[in-house]
Amino acid sequence: MPKLLMVSTVGITLKSFLVPYARFFRSLGWSVDALARGAGEYAENRDSFHHLHEIDWSRNPLDPRNFAEAPRFIAELAEREKYDIVHVHTPVAAFVTRFALRDLRAEGRVKVVYTAHGFHFYRGNSKMKNGLFIALEKLAGRWTDRLIVINNEDYEAALKHRIVPREKLTLMPGIGIDLTQYNRSAVDDAQVAAVRKEMELTPEDRYILMVAEFNPGKRHRDAVNALAQVNAPSLHLVFAGQGTLLDATKELARRRGVEKRCHFPGQRTDIPALLKGAAAAVLPSQREGLPRSVLEAMAMGTPVIGADARGTRDLLADGCGIIVPVGDTGALARAFWSVAEQSGEQREVVQRAHEKV
C-alpha cells in the first residue's frame, strides 16, 4: 500500500483545506497520515487520516522550536513509516520538513511535494523581506521534487527567481471547493433567517461578510474604517473567524462609532448560510494565495469586494468583482455603497463570477 504524509504547521489547515485530499487518496487505496501541531484537535482530522502525528513547532519562523527537535523528529518518522510522498503546506512547516528530509530525498527514499499557498515574498512587500524569503525558497527548492503554486504572480515569480526548474513547477488555480455545499439552492432560507436573528438584524438591515482569521495581513481594520465612512445605519459588517486581533478590531469599531453595526460571531461552520444572506463579501487583505473565501462567495452568487492583492485579483479579474487598492479605505467605502445598493450592474458582476467558478 503506497503511503502519503501531509504536513502543515497547525491542525486547522488540515481540517480546512486538506481533508478532502486525504479522503480521495484513501479511496484510491493509499495510507494517508498527517503531521501538525494540534492535528488531533479536530474530529474531521481524526476521521480522515489513518494516523495523526503531533509536533511542537510554531508559525513564527524565528521560533527555536522549529529547528531544535522538529527536523530530527520528522526524519525519524519518515524513515520509520517509509512514506512514498511527503506533501508539505504552509511556509514554516514546508521549509523545516524539506530541510529534515533532504538526505532521505537525495537517496531516493521519498518524494517531496510543496504546495505554496502564497509565497511570503510578493509585490508591495519590502525589498529586504522579499530578498530573505526568496533566498529561503530557492534553498528549499533544492530539496523539492514538485512545487505547486496557486496564482499567476507566484508562478511568474517562481520562474523568474528559479525557485525550482521549470519542469518541476505546476500552476494549479486553487485547492477547490465543494460546489454541492457552496450552492444557494443547498441552503435553506430558514438557515439564513436563523443567522440574521442571531445577530439581531432587522428586515431592513443588510450586511457585508468578511471570512478571515484576525491577523494583521487580513486588514480587518480597513473594513471597519470603511464602514465608518458610510452613513447608512442599515448597513452592517459581519466578521466570521477568530485570531489574535479580534479584541483590537472590536475596540476599533467602538472607537469609530460603528460597534453596533459590526458583528463578531466567531468561528463558523455555517458559512454558506452567512454568504447567502450577505449583500456582499469583502476581503481587504494585502497578501493571499488564492483565497478560498472569495471562491466560496463566487460559488454562492454573492458579490465580492477585494483588495488588489495576489490571488484575489486573479479571481476577480474580467469583471467578476470589485477590486480596490490595498489600504484605500475611501475606495472600500465607495464599494460598500455600490454593492449594498445592488444595482443592475452589480447583478451582472455576480452572474459573471458565478459562471467563472
Side-chain angles (χ1 to χ4, degrees):
M1 177 186 294
K3 300 188 71 172
L4 168 65
L5 175 68
M6 294 185 179
V7 182
S8 67
T9 308
V10 293
I12 187 106
T13 303
L14 302 173
K15 170 186 175 294
S16 301
F17 301 109
L18 303 179
V19 158
Y21 294 92
R23 293 173 177 170
F24 172 76
F25 275 94
R26 288 185 66 168
S27 74
L28 298 180
W30 284 63
S31 173
V32 186
D33 294 354
L35 170 69
R37 190 185 80 233
E41 293 178 7
Y42 304 95
E44 293 92 334
N45 294 348
R46 296 193 297 270
D47 294 340
S48 302
F49 295 91
H50 284 102
H51 299 98
L52 296 172
H53 302 282
E54 297 284 342
I55 187 168
D56 185 25
W57 55 15
S58 167
R59 286 179 172 181
N60 179 0
L62 301 180
D63 193 313
R65 290 178 295 172
N66 296 334
F67 287 95
E69 300 292 336
R72 184 175 66 180
F73 176 85
I74 295 167
E76 291 176 353
L77 174 66
E79 188 165 17
R80 182 178 71 248
E81 297 297 331
K82 295 180 170 55
Y83 293 112
D84 296 280
I85 298 175
V86 175
H87 191 177
V88 296
H89 303 259
T90 63
V92 170
F95 186 89
V96 174
T97 302
R98 286 181 288 172
F99 170 77
L101 298 180
R102 66 195 188 283
D103 292 337
L104 285 176
R105 178 185 168 273
E107 295 168 4
R109 298 164 65 185
V110 66
K111 296 289 186 182
V112 179
V113 178
Y114 172 36
T115 293
H117 299 256
F119 287 135
H120 265 30
F121 59 89
Y122 56 94
R123 292 204 298 262
N125 197 21
S126 75
K127 290 184 178 179
M128 181 177 297
K129 288 182 178 178
N130 276 352
L132 172 61
F133 287 122
I134 289 169
L136 290 173
E137 288 292 356
K138 291 183 71 171
L139 176 61
R142 302 176 185 175
W143 314 318
T144 307
D145 292 288
R146 174 68 60 176
L147 169 62
I148 300 170
V149 295
I150 62 176
N151 62 68
N152 289 309
E153 182 179 319
D154 281 352
Y155 182 75
E156 294 167 1
L159 290 175
K160 176 183 177 181
H161 299 294
R162 300 179 181 178
I163 303 298
V164 295
R166 181 186 291 267
E167 63 271 16
K168 293 185 177 182
L169 177 65
T170 298
L171 172 62
M172 183 180 73
I175 60 171
I177 58 172
D178 185 351
L179 293 178
T180 63
Q181 179 183 8
Y182 290 92
N183 185 314
R184 293 187 81 84
S185 63
V187 180
D188 191 274
D189 289 341
Q191 296 174 266
V192 177
V195 297
R196 291 183 63 87
K197 181 179 180 180
E198 177 187 342
M199 292 180 286
E200 301 182 342
L201 298 175
T202 71
E204 294 74 28
D205 290 333
R206 311 189 80 186
Y207 67 86
I208 296 173
L209 175 67
M210 180 172 174
V211 181
E213 179 185 357
F214 284 85
N215 67 49
K218 299 297 184 181
R219 301 186 69 94
H220 291 76
R221 61 190 181 277
D222 290 352
V224 173
N225 287 326
L227 183 67
Q229 299 176 48
V230 179
N231 185 22
S234 63
L235 183 63
H236 295 241
L237 270 172
V238 174
F239 297 99
Q242 58 188 14
T244 57
L245 292 185
L246 174 58
D247 289 341
T249 305
K250 290 180 178 179
E251 173 60 19
L252 176 62
R254 187 196 64 78
R255 286 191 284 106
R256 294 305 309 269
V258 292
E259 69 272 23
K260 292 183 179 179
R261 292 197 285 150
C262 288
H263 306 264
F264 301 87
Q267 196 74 24
R268 306 293 294 203
T269 59
D270 57 352
I271 297 300
L274 286 167
L275 281 169
K276 185 173 181 178
V282 64
L283 189 66
S285 52
Q286 66 193 39
R287 177 176 64 87
E288 289 290 339
L290 199 77
R292 180 167 159 176
S293 64
V294 173
L295 275 169
E296 292 169 350
M298 293 169 71
M300 289 292 298
T302 303
V304 181
I305 307 163
D308 188 12
R310 172 193 64 193
T312 302
R313 75 170 70 94
D314 290 26
L315 293 174
L316 300 186
D318 305 318
C320 290
I322 295 178
I323 302 177
V324 300
V326 174
D328 189 336
T329 58
L332 194 57
R334 291 190 293 273
F336 281 5
W337 270 116
S338 175
V339 175
E341 291 172 354
Q342 280 288 283
S343 65
E345 179 182 353
Q346 286 305 319
R347 286 191 290 273
E348 292 177 8
V349 168
V350 171
Q351 182 61 33
R352 287 194 294 270
H354 189 66
E355 290 173 354
K356 187 173 185 178
V357 176

